[in-house]
Amino acid sequence: METMNLLATLDQNYLPPLQVLLTSLHISHPGEPVALYLMHSGIPEQMLSMLQKQCQTFEIELCPVQISSSIFRNAPVTRQYPQEMYYRLLAPHLLPSKIHRVLYLDPDILVMNSLRPLWETDLRGNLFAAASHKGKTELVHNINQVRLGTESKYFNSGVLLIDMDAGRQKMIPEEIFRYAEEHAKGLLLPDQDIFNALYGNRTLELDDTLWNYDARNYNAYLLRSAGVCDLDWVLSHTALLHFCGKSKPWQTRYIHRFGILYKHYIQLTRRTGFYLGDK
């Protein structure tokens, strides 16, 4: 069975959510070969060691990749635009050439069912596959199309299947940096806006109910599906449950429906003895 190469890009503050994601991944993929590439700019060695021990317990291969700031000499890097925001788009140039495909996941995600069908998706010549969060109407898409001057759907960049070989040929770092600099004042979600503006028309659309379910919008999904996508359906079919937005389920006052499920996975992660969220 082919190893699934996953990618995370984060700082030390998001290690606990990543650990919860890995717990859910392990439960959903027993015995499957998985490698996690972790791109970072300087996570302390002691914290990486705890993550490594968790990965060893789960039989996940951890591949930390520390990125030098020298790569971003010509990039607009500020507090609003940290260098980490570029990592997922520069992954084809920053990860080993032996990697032909990678699945990027935001850390605020639970893996509920098998990722294998997504991993094996035919990209049909596209650079990426991603989902669009439709909500109840297409109004948000229309606003973003006008704002960014695009015609494609507005994709959520929290889950990206990336063709690394094509990316090495067709994704030019200088073009990404130039777009970020020229449009700095108009970017609301900088990394996601840049992705949509430059690569939205080279992205295969995924079904968000399966591959990037917005955990805030249960009622909208239920309405849109005429009652099909109820709680039982989500637990049986949705592979990636994404806790989008500023409010997060590890915070004490999280109010949305799937918060208690997330806390259950926190408890399972604590039982490993390697959870960094209580340190």
Side-chain angles (χ1 to χ4, degrees), residues 30-144:
E32 290 198 43
V34 176
L36 172 66
Y37 290 84
L38 174 59
M39 295 170 62
H40 66 99
S41 59
I43 295 174
E45 189 61 38
Q46 184 177 8
M47 302 181 87
L48 283 177
S49 177
M50 291 290 278
L51 182 65
Q52 177 68 63
K53 291 174 181 177
Q54 181 192 12
C55 287
Q56 287 175 343
T57 299
F58 291 165
E59 297 184 333
I60 295 171
E61 180 184 2
L62 178 64
C63 307
V65 181
Q66 185 166 356
I67 306 300
S68 170
S69 59
S70 63
I71 297 171
F72 301 93
R73 286 191 303 266
N74 300 319
V77 175
T78 64
R79 185 174 181 179
Q80 185 183 4
Y81 302 108
Q83 69 179 46
E84 285 85 359
M85 84 171 197
Y86 297 106
Y87 288 174
R88 77 190 83 174
L89 295 182
L90 297 180
H93 302 285
L94 297 177
L95 294 181
S97 58
K98 67 179 181 179
I99 303 175
H100 305 294
R101 171 175 287 213
V102 75
L103 176 60
Y104 168 83
L105 298 177
D106 272 354
D108 55 350
I109 283 175
L110 289 179
V111 182
M112 304 300 299
N113 288 289
S114 177
L115 296 178
R116 187 64 59 175
L118 174 57
W119 176 254
E120 296 174 350
T121 295
D122 183 354
L123 288 173
R124 305 175 200 167
N126 289 286
L127 294 173
F128 297 92
S132 173
H133 286 154
K134 303 178 183 65
K136 296 179 182 178
T137 72
E138 295 294 310
L139 178 61
V140 173
H141 287 298
N142 296 336
I143 292 173
N144 285 317

Side-chain angles (χ1 to χ4, degrees), residues 215 243 249-250 254-264 266:
F243 293 86
W250 55 86
Y254 187 78
I255 62 172
H256 299 292
R257 183 177 301 264
F258 294 100
I260 192 168
L261 178 63
Y262 192 91
K263 291 184 186 300
H264 171 66
I266 290 178

